[in-house]
Amino acid sequence: FILQYMSGFGNEHVSEDPRCPGALPEGQNNPQVCPYGLYAEQLSGSAFTCPRPTNKRSWLYRILPSVCHKPFKPLEEGHLTHNWDEVEPDPNQLRWKPFEIPKAPQNKLDFVSGLHTLCGAGEPRGRNGIAVHIFVCNTSMLDRCLYNSDGDFLIVPQQGKLLITTEFGKMLVEPNEICVIQQGMRFSVEVFGETRGYILEVYGAHFELPDLGPIGANGLANPRDFLVPIAWYEDRQVPGGYTVISKYQGKLFAAQQDFSPFNVVAWHGNYTPYKYHLEKFMVINSVAFDHADPSIFTVLTAKSTRPGVALADFVIFPPRWGVANNTFRPPYYHRNCMSEFMGLIKGHYEAKEEGFLPGGASLHSMMTPHGPDADCFEKASKAKLEPERVAEGTMAFMFESSLSMAVTRWGLQTSQRLDKNYYKCWEPLKSHFNP
């Protein structure tokens, strides 16, 4: 089986597994009898009555419908939570060392058991909120799949590739790529060794491409570079029981069934999983002086109900040229009405070359000051201003949110990855004031 994809963000796609030509009904969605004796099932990602530009749904033609399962029962959720009151709020600048991946023989973790919630805000029942999770795993999901009833997962692998089987087909997602599994879509993750990454979960909104305004019709993440899997099915009985895991109202539940859920022979619609390679991003930057705001690096946004204010933005800092004249080129010192969570996929981030490492993270909460460390400030203040390559061999990213995020007990204590000395990187900054 060769992995193939269709391109285009939010497109109406049609796909049939080539083993069953003609599996899609002609000219209607649910005929009295579907081709090949399949069942028709609609997956709705929006209210039926949403305006057409935001209406999301797909029709799946499957060997058995999803409803054929035993009752759901609670499943131990480990370090997954949406309880934002576990510990007292902490307004400090926070930085984490790379999160540890357990070794396989003594502690086997798959994608679901390796989910650890780091921070978040809001809650899934009210359909308004976000969560940031770290996943660390070393084994593939066997005869079990996950679907998220609460919202969308934006998955950022940092170490190790993910072979993700979905109801719509298979996707291979490697570091420097991202994928989005939208609300309700069943998926299973195969890994090939020690694997780590980040997840941005949003409740109550779907990711979309940001508006471009005066930039014009092209630029940033172009719609054609988003890839959607093609239909692939398995007609597989699992007498020992296949486990379907639901993340529902922040908790995990498991149901048993005796067949694979990846039994969709054909599908059509605009509500799909998708992936994107971060190297395809068309960077826009200042070519005269000063900084453009980091919003120019937005790949995807999940809008809030307030115009121009994001529930969450996914922003990247890719390799690019720096040419600004008479300008302090690293990121400026900043206090923000948004929360800024940063991760590093590879390389060294320009404003924090020491301490901020691939597989680690930082959180600069609402109105908490942040900016370049003392070394970076001194170097950049004296640097000869020539055209230079910035962030070569690097990919840092930011999950930015208008919500004030709380950190979990795992993030502050249990993980034991919090860098207690982070604040010290600014202590050597000295006054240059000369009246």
Side-chain angles (χ1 to χ4, degrees), residues 51-211:
R52 193 179 281 258
T54 55
N55 211 305
K56 302 203 175 297
R57 62 88 185 92
S58 286
W59 281 91
L60 311 175
Y61 299 93
R62 54 196 322 149
I63 297 165
L64 276 171
S66 303
V67 75
C68 299
H69 63 79
K70 297 283 192 285
F72 281 101
K73 294 178 179 164
L75 183 69
E76 175 58 49
E77 52 257 0
H79 294 289
L80 195 68
T81 184
H82 72 283
N83 175 6
W84 311 125
D85 298 314
E86 291 181 327
V87 283
E88 288 298 304
D90 188 342
N92 287 301
Q93 300 94 349
L94 301 176
R95 182 167 71 188
W96 289 270
K97 298 166 188 169
F99 296 97
E100 289 180 323
I101 310 169
K103 302 290 178 205
Q106 64 262 36
N107 191 2
K108 282 196 170 183
L109 289 183
D110 68 11
F111 180 83
V112 175
S113 50
L115 287 171
H116 299 73
T117 308
L118 192 62
C119 55
E123 63 93 38
R125 280 172 291 195
R127 310 294 301 121
N128 183 44
I130 67 166
V132 175
H133 312 285
I134 303 298
F135 67 89
V136 288
C137 53
N138 50 35
T139 191
S140 298
M141 291 172 70
L142 294 175
D143 287 340
R144 57 192 223 145
C145 72
L146 172 67
Y147 72 94
N148 186 355
S149 307
D150 294 336
D152 291 8
F153 277 153
L154 187 158
I155 301 172
V156 184
Q158 184 273 321
Q159 178 182 320
K161 56 190 178 187
L162 312 175
L163 180 59
I164 303 178
T165 302
T166 76
E167 295 172 275
F168 296 79
K170 289 174 178 275
M171 299 187 292
L172 184 67
V173 188
E174 303 188 56
N176 229 30
E177 294 183 305
I178 59 154
C179 73
V180 174
I181 310 286
Q182 304 195 74
Q183 183 187 11
M185 297 174 179
R186 294 168 184 214
F187 69 103
S188 184
V189 179
E190 193 176 329
V191 297
F192 305 89
E194 294 181 1
T195 307
R196 175 173 58 203
Y198 312 83
I199 297 174
L200 171 58
E201 180 183 15
V202 295
Y203 324 131
H206 293 300
F207 290 102
E208 53 191 279
L209 294 173
D211 296 324

Side-chain angles (χ1 to χ4, degrees), residues 215 220 283-298 315-317 320-325 327-332 334 349-350 398 400:
I215 292 172
L220 310 190
V283 184
I284 285 174
N285 212 347
S286 167
V287 293
F289 59 87
D290 283 355
H291 281 255
D293 291 322
S295 43
I296 55 166
F297 298 118
T298 304
V315 177
I316 62 172
F317 301 99
R320 58 201 182 275
W321 282 96
V323 296
N325 294 319
T327 297
F328 181 79
R329 289 182 180 173
Y332 43 75
H334 193 200
Y349 182 58
E350 57 179 319
M398 178 163 67
E400 183 174 83

Side-chain angles (χ1 to χ4, degrees), residues 218-250:
N218 308 288
L220 310 190
N222 287 309
R224 72 175 187 147
D225 294 324
F226 288 81
L227 301 179
V228 172
I230 61 164
W232 175 86
Y233 77 90
E234 58 179 9
D235 182 11
R236 182 164 71 89
Q237 297 300 304
V238 188
Y242 193 104
T243 304
V244 176
I245 301 166
S246 172
K247 180 181 176 293
Y248 177 75
Q249 295 188 8

